[in-house]
Amino acid sequence: GKIVLPCEYEELLTYNDMAYPEGYIIAKRNGLCGVLDWNGRPILPYRYDARPKPIANSGGLFVVCGDDRPGGVVNSKGDTVVPFRYLNLSEFGNFDFGKTGSSPLLIYSVEKTTNNGETSSNHTKRKQILSGLLDLNGREVLAPVYKNLFCGDNAIIVTDTNDYEGVMDFKGEWIRPISPLYTYDNYYDDFYVSIKDRRTRLEGLISDDGKLVLPIEYQEVWYPIKGLVQVKDRSGLWGLMDT
């Protein structure tokens, strides 16, 4: 029943698990957010409009990004590590239990003006939000040329501006290159990605090195876990297979 922090905060959000062994308390006072350690001692002062989010296994780095202003990264001394110029900046991946052992990465967006694919002098320019990846030093891992990046525990589903998809690893190397033939979906506990043929709408399963684990011949492939995967065959009946 000992009070660690008195009831004088507008918001409190705690981080303390395998990914955040140091323990952090995100606190809001007088409309501004700061960071305290697990004993309530100040780490970052109350000067942020948005909540700082600790980056898992980073040794004390925090993403600060609001809904209506660019985000950046600061360290536990309050120094800016990644400049505040990126839209929708966020860490991705659960690196406390992922098998890759990769350093955390940051997904971000920028607003670019495109000519809608036309080359004539009468083309119509429009603004488009495109996504890329940064490392924790602010170095570019993937240039912001993709319509969407869906980041899971083991790989990244990449969608280009033509709505074609591919799969990358965390180093920006292709596991399955972008193609008009297939779409990809959902990351599962055993590091698999489902693959769907755009023409037949049938699904299969690939591993995180791009190998086909289950052939593309099922109506649905669902939730591989502990070596088993649920599959619906072409007759609409469900069964279990191992991976």
Side-chain angles (χ1 to χ4, degrees):
K2 181 181 177 182
I3 294 176
V4 178
L5 291 176
C7 295
E8 56 188 31
Y9 299 91
E10 292 133 41
E11 290 181 5
L12 286 176
L13 184 63
T14 58
Y15 290 85
N16 186 261
D17 56 28
M18 289 189 299
Y20 311 99
E22 307 93 340
Y24 298 109
I25 303 168
I26 314 303
K28 186 174 184 179
R29 297 183 74 172
N30 301 319
L32 295 176
C33 296
V35 180
L36 312 173
D37 70 15
W38 203 242
N39 296 308
R41 293 185 292 263
I43 296 178
L44 294 179
Y46 301 97
R47 65 184 182 194
Y48 301 102
D49 294 331
R51 295 172 180 166
K53 181 184 182 301
I55 299 176
N57 301 322
S58 68
L61 297 181
F62 301 84
V63 174
V64 185
C65 188
D67 294 333
D68 56 352
R69 63 181 62 192
V73 176
V74 298
N75 62 21
S76 57
K77 297 179 181 179
D79 302 324
T80 299
V81 178
V82 176
F84 282 71
R85 62 187 182 205
Y86 299 100
L87 303 176
N88 306 318
L89 186 70
S90 62
E91 174 207 5
F92 73 87
N94 296 308
F95 294 91
D96 53 320
F97 60 81
K99 79 172 186 179
T100 62
S102 301
S103 297
L105 295 177
L106 303 165
I107 186 171
Y108 71 99
S109 302
V110 296
E111 188 175 67
K112 289 191 173 184
T113 301
T114 67
N115 62 7
N116 210 18
E118 301 174 13
T119 56
S120 71
S121 59
N122 296 322
H123 61 252
T124 301
K125 291 187 176 181
R126 62 189 179 91
K127 290 184 177 180
Q128 188 173 21
I129 301 296
L130 298 175
S131 297
L133 291 178
L134 301 171
D135 67 15
L136 295 188
N137 295 309
R139 291 188 292 259
E140 191 175 85
V141 176
L142 282 183
V145 296
Y146 299 103
K147 183 176 179 179
N148 188 47
L149 298 174
F150 181 78
C151 302
D153 295 336
N154 56 325
I156 307 163
I157 293 178
V158 179
T159 306
D160 70 7
T161 53
N162 295 312
D163 288 324
Y164 297 150
E165 295 182 357
V167 185
M168 280 185 175
D169 65 18
F170 291 149
K171 296 179 181 178
E173 297 176 355
W174 290 108
I175 295 172
R176 285 267 174 159
I178 286 178
S179 166
L181 302 178
Y182 304 108
T183 62
Y184 303 91
D185 200 7
N186 293 335
Y187 293 82
Y188 302 112
D189 291 356
D190 284 342
F191 303 97
Y192 295 103
V193 180
S194 68
I195 178 173
K196 178 182 287 187
D197 187 303
R198 285 180 182 265
R199 182 180 58 85
T200 65
R201 310 301 296 170
L202 296 177
E203 296 185 19
L205 197 69
I206 63 173
S207 58
D208 60 358
D209 58 3
K211 294 180 180 178
L212 196 64
V213 179
L214 295 181
I216 307 172
E217 58 183 45
Y218 298 97
Q219 285 192 32
E220 288 187 53
V221 175
W222 183 244
Y223 203 64
I225 186 169
K226 295 183 178 179
L228 294 177
V229 55
Q230 300 176 49
V231 294
K232 182 194 284 187
D233 68 11
R234 298 191 191 205
S235 69
L237 298 177
W238 285 93
L240 280 177
M241 297 183 70
D242 66 25
T243 53

